Amino acid sequence: MSADYVVHGSVAVITLNNPPVNGLGFETRMAAVAALRRAESDAAVKAVVITGAGKVFSGGADIREFNSPKALAEPNLHTLIATAENLGKPVVAAIHGVCMGCGLELSLGCHYRVALPGAQVGLPEVKIGLVPGAGGTQRLPRVVGLELGLNMIVSGNPVLSEKLAETRLFDRVFDAGADLVAASVDFANSIADVRPLPKVRDLKIDYPNAEAFLQFSRNTVKAMAGPFPAPLECVECVAAAVTKKIEDGLAFERERFFALAQTSESQALRHAFFAERAASKVPDVPADTPTRSIERAAVIGAGTMGGGIAMNFANAGIPVTILETKQEALDKGLATIRKNYENTVKKGKLAPEKAEQRIGLITGTLAYEDIGQADIVVEAVFEDMEVKGQVFRKLDEVMKPGAILASNTSTLDLNKIADFTSRPQDVIGLHFFSPANVMKLLEIVRGAQTGKDVLATALALSKTIRKTGVVSGVCDGFIGNRMVEQYLRQAFFLLEEGALPEQVDKAIEKFGFAMGPFRMSDLAGNDIGWYIRKRRYAESPELVYSPIPDRLCEAGRFGQKTGAGWYDYQAGDRKPQPSALVNDMITGYSQEAGVERRTISDAEIVQRLVFALANEGARILEEGIALRASDIDMVYLTGYGFPLHRGGPMLYADTVGLPNVLETIRKFARGRHGEAWQPAPLLERLAGEGKGFNS
């Protein structure tokens, strides 16, 4: 059973027991309903307490049942809630830890609610593109008021129980440290004979000029919701709670829930939700794999990347030492870190004392010997194998046994880097994305000899420093940069054929990308891609590249840092301005190459950029570089600004339909630079089988 039943005197205590968060899955619902009916039929039981095992009441629906018949099997959530609400004896929800989603909706169906302080209470369904589907939009505003209820539902953010103590949501919030079960049983005894039994559904929402407030809310939410329909639907469901009878409101809520569940936006958000959790699971690295202790860290390099990496450790309370070769570079790096923290304080996102505490965890040195006792060291030096080799040979000499030696390389062969040491089992790639203290993605590169405990430690560390860790195998560019190279190749080919940087950027940004390829290149530095292309010319001469970006770099236009790149920039202003000089260079090359420039539609731009990502992603998946298609999507959602409402390049390809993607790629293969459009074998196979990458 996944709900335990124990009688304390005249009070039956039902404990939801479905680790890790007591999700209200089918077995738990069935056991809870059976327990409620058992209490109803026992004449010695005068009241019922429902609580949760472990540290939480309930985190809501059991995510393991999403998209399966069990999610709707009887007794479903509505049946469970109705059973509690209609019981002839008082039912008390005893809340602690977490009370979210359907867990909160169950408690709202109980006659009374009590809680410990510190419990997180909320309805987060909007974050996966849905409205609460088991009465939350109808009952919550009845107990916390229209304004607070609407804010909680539209934002999906949790509120601490003590902040809700004065509302009708809670009949009592106990003192910290109280024994929840004992206190709840005492409370249940105190109200056991009270009749009639109070029901949230019978409460009225009393708000002056409610319609004006709801219209204001519609206007505000519509302006902020972007491409997502769920926030506005939340407002409409709450409006139904104000204007309709409870049964009609509940029916309206259910209708909107099921309609939203069919939208591509909700499917994308749910895909991302599951993908983030799946990314931490590696088939041959069990959850109980021992990990190494990380109590001290070191970073090699005090540049933009090294400083950002160091801030991640400090933000997590881990002392970190930055090593540089010159005092001037070290001082500049430490000053930049301080400035970053001070800017965060100015924005009100960090308390001054917290900032000073974190700054105090970061120290600098010019001597390798000073970092030898660190548990992990992350190299963040220039992207050159010879330079990396010098660093790792030295780390092999000075680092203590068992220290993890990590490289922040974005493209280079991690196995060759590991070969510079006598302990390749301790070497791993930790590819942070710039700015490293902000970007959520951490590509964890598993070398041929990387120890399983090292990989498990890196995955655990990613959570400690609040990153989404995605495991990649070793190849040139790993997952993200290998794919983005094909994306950029197409962007550059589009310039040859008739597009200009501003049109390409606007088209892909309208599709939903945070930044188009040319704005992104200017921000990162065009010289970085130039350096990589030069290496490609030597290593892969069969690959064809447009010469246009090389000509841009030969002119010294490296992007924002030089005040000129694909766009022009005014001093102190990052706003890109179309460059007549660059546009003339582009059209001049087309003429020189004998290419008749043509009008290119925004739809073609989007297809060529996104399908280039998906096609290369299919190769990466087939080669085993990525463990699953959803890992590739997580890389692009969290590291490359792919639109969240489209779910990532692999899910987007699934949404379009792989046969359609394949047909379009074959069409592009008949055009200019068609050699860049060889369909991946996996794409061809899945399209033929009528399957998707995420099937």
Side-chain angles (χ1 to χ4, degrees):
M1 298 291 281
S2 53
D4 304 321
Y5 184 92
V6 177
V7 176
H8 295 254
S10 61
V11 177
V13 177
I14 300 169
T15 304
L16 307 173
N17 193 355
N18 182 14
V21 294
N22 299 324
L24 295 173
F26 174 67
E27 284 78 11
T28 304
R29 298 194 304 269
M30 189 163 56
V33 168
L36 285 166
R37 289 172 177 162
R38 179 179 173 183
E40 176 91 278
S41 63
D42 187 344
V45 170
K46 292 187 176 181
V48 179
V49 168
I50 300 178
T51 191
K55 297 181 179 180
V56 301
F57 176 74
S58 173
D62 191 331
I63 61 172
R64 293 168 292 192
E65 289 186 359
F66 272 41
N67 302 319
S68 78
K70 278 189 173 183
L72 298 176
E74 286 287 355
N76 61 34
L77 284 164
H78 296 281
T79 301
L80 170 59
I81 292 167
T83 302
E85 190 172 55
N86 295 323
L87 209 73
K89 301 173 182 179
V91 180
V92 180
I95 293 165
H96 65 302
V98 171
C99 180
M100 303 284 274
C102 301
L104 176 55
E105 289 174 307
L106 170 60
S107 76
L108 289 167
C110 297
H111 306 113
Y112 299 92
R113 286 154 301 281
V114 296
L116 289 177
Q120 297 184 67
V121 180
L123 294 171
E125 286 83 355
V126 70
K127 295 187 177 184
I128 53 172
L130 300 170
V131 297
T137 64
Q138 304 305 295
R139 291 187 176 94
L140 185 63
R142 284 175 155 82
V143 291
V144 300
L146 176 60
E147 194 167 339
L148 177 55
L150 182 65
N151 287 339
M152 289 177 66
I153 293 164
V154 170
S155 73
N157 295 329
V159 179
L160 292 176
S161 52
E162 57 267 31
K163 293 187 176 180
L164 298 167
E166 300 305 315
T167 70
R168 284 178 147 181
L169 176 61
F170 292 121
D171 297 278
R172 190 165 301 170
V173 175
F174 302 123
D175 293 335
D179 182 318
L180 178 63
V181 172
S184 300
V185 168
D186 287 345
F187 176 85
N189 279 317
S190 72
I191 51 85
D193 297 322
V194 174
R195 297 292 184 278
L197 294 173
K199 296 181 180 180
V200 171
R201 64 184 295 132
D202 295 334
L203 299 174
K204 303 297 181 186
I205 298 175
D206 186 15
Y207 192 90
N209 206 355
E211 185 49 49
F213 170 73
L214 288 167
Q215 189 56 49
F216 169 79
S217 300
R218 289 185 184 98
N219 296 339
T220 303
V221 170
K222 186 176 182 180
M224 297 174 63
F228 297 103
L232 196 57
E233 292 288 5
C234 286
V235 178
E236 297 306 331
C237 286
V238 172
V242 176
T243 60
K244 298 177 184 290
K245 295 178 180 179
I246 183 72
E247 286 302 334
D248 294 335
L250 289 169
F252 181 81
E253 178 194 78
R254 283 196 296 277
E255 175 195 327
R256 302 323 303 150
F257 176 89
F258 286 116
L260 285 168
Q262 302 306 311
T263 63
S264 59
E265 293 84 3
S266 177
Q267 289 169 10
L269 288 171
R270 283 179 280 148
H271 173 71
F273 178 85
F274 289 114
E276 185 169 7
R277 283 146 185 81
S280 64
K281 296 175 174 62
V282 180
D284 67 331
V285 182
D288 60 356
T289 300
T291 58
R292 301 186 188 184
S293 174
I294 303 295
E295 296 181 3
R296 294 196 65 83
V299 175
I300 311 299
T304 301
M305 183 60 76
I309 293 171
M311 291 176 69
N312 283 298
F313 288 113
N315 293 346
I318 299 172
V320 56
T321 302
I322 303 178
L323 183 145
E324 257 295 352
T325 56
K326 295 181 180 179
Q327 188 67 48
E328 182 183 2
L330 180 59
D331 291 343
K332 182 180 178 182
L334 293 174
T336 299
I337 289 170
R338 175 171 283 279
K339 184 178 179 181
N340 287 340
Y341 277 120
E342 289 173 348
N343 288 339
T344 306
V345 170
K346 287 178 183 176
K347 294 175 183 176
K349 296 181 178 180
L350 188 66
E353 58 273 16
K354 282 282 188 184
E356 287 301 324
Q357 184 183 50
R358 294 177 184 183
I359 291 169
L361 290 171
I362 303 173
T363 55
T365 184
L366 302 179
Y368 271 91
E369 289 72 21
D370 291 343
I371 66 170
Q373 294 304 306
D375 300 301
I376 186 170
V377 55
V378 183
E379 161 273 310
V381 302
F382 189 66
E383 189 74 348
D384 179 88
M385 187 61 81
E386 186 176 338
V387 176
K388 306 279 190 191
Q390 293 171 3
V391 170
F392 273 83
R393 288 188 188 99
K394 190 65 178 177
L395 292 176
D396 194 33
E397 290 177 19
V398 303
M399 299 307 297
K400 69 180 183 180
I404 294 175
L405 314 184
S407 174
N408 182 55
T409 180
S410 57
T411 57
L412 299 178
D413 188 336
L414 186 78
N415 293 326
K416 289 183 179 179
I417 292 173
D419 286 342
F420 293 125
T421 76
S422 62
R423 37 174 146 174
Q425 73 279 1
D426 294 336
V427 177
I428 195 166
L430 294 181
H431 179 209
F432 290 81
F433 287 71
S434 187
N437 55 306
V438 175
M439 295 296 287
K440 194 176 179 184
L441 176 63
L442 178 63
E443 236 178 358
I444 300 173
V445 185
R446 182 183 194 178
Q449 298 185 64
T450 300
K452 290 184 180 181
D453 62 330
V454 173
L455 182 57
T457 302
L459 285 164
L461 177 64
S462 69
K463 294 179 181 178
T464 300
I465 61 176
R466 298 188 176 183
K467 301 291 183 187
T468 299
V470 179
V471 176
S472 171
V474 176
C475 67
D476 199 331
F478 315 124
I479 296 172
N481 282 342
R482 175 173 160 180
M483 289 170 62
V484 87
E485 183 174 12
Q486 301 308 317
Y487 170 88
L488 290 171
R489 283 179 79 202
Q490 288 303 316
F492 300 149
F493 290 153
L494 284 162
L495 298 183
E496 294 183 8
E497 297 171 42
L500 293 174
E502 186 180 23
Q503 183 198 356
V504 175
D505 282 348
K506 283 185 175 178
I508 201 69
E509 287 165 12
K510 186 178 179 181
F511 175 78
F513 268 78
M515 191 176 290
F518 298 103
R519 287 180 60 207
M520 177 184 75
S521 296
D522 274 359
L523 178 63
N526 295 311
D527 52 327
I528 296 174
W530 191 28
Y531 181 83
I532 293 171
R533 285 193 301 278
K534 288 177 180 178
R535 179 164 61 83
R536 293 277 194 276
Y537 299 152
E539 296 175 355
S540 305
E542 74 282 359
L543 284 178
V544 177
Y545 290 86
S546 171
I548 292 175
D550 291 357
R551 294 187 179 190
L552 184 85
C553 291
E554 287 163 3
R557 297 180 68 96
F558 295 155
Q560 290 186 15
K561 60 188 174 186
T562 58
W566 293 104
Y567 298 94
D568 292 332
Y569 299 89
Q570 296 179 356
D573 186 359
R574 293 190 174 189
K575 184 178 181 181
Q577 303 292 340
S579 170
L581 186 151
V582 170
N583 292 347
D584 288 345
M585 180 190 73
I586 291 168
T587 55
Y589 173 77
S590 298
Q591 186 176 8
E592 176 189 324
V595 178
E596 185 177 346
R597 294 180 67 80
R598 62 184 175 88
T599 299
I600 298 177
S601 69
D602 287 358
E604 180 183 340
I605 290 171
V606 169
Q607 286 180 332
R608 284 175 65 169
L609 296 185
V610 178
F611 291 174
L613 290 174
N615 193 44
E616 192 65 20
R619 297 184 193 280
I620 286 171
L621 193 59
E622 191 164 32
E623 293 169 19
I625 299 300
L627 291 170
R628 50 187 76 86
S630 63
D631 284 359
I632 296 173
D633 286 334
M634 283 314 298
V635 166
Y636 268 80
L637 290 172
T638 58
Y640 290 86
F642 198 96
L644 179 59
H645 69 283
R646 300 192 189 275
M650 310 311 281
L651 183 72
Y652 180 71
D654 288 346
T655 304
V656 172
L658 296 195
N660 296 327
V661 174
L662 181 59
E663 181 183 352
T664 304
I665 285 177
R666 285 174 172 161
K667 181 186 74 174
F668 291 149
R670 296 191 292 270
R672 180 173 168 79
H673 292 305
E675 73 282 348
W677 284 109
Q678 295 304 309
L682 178 63
L683 170 60
E684 292 182 309
R685 178 169 64 80
L686 292 176
E689 295 173 355
K691 295 179 180 177
F693 293 122
N694 289 282
S695 294

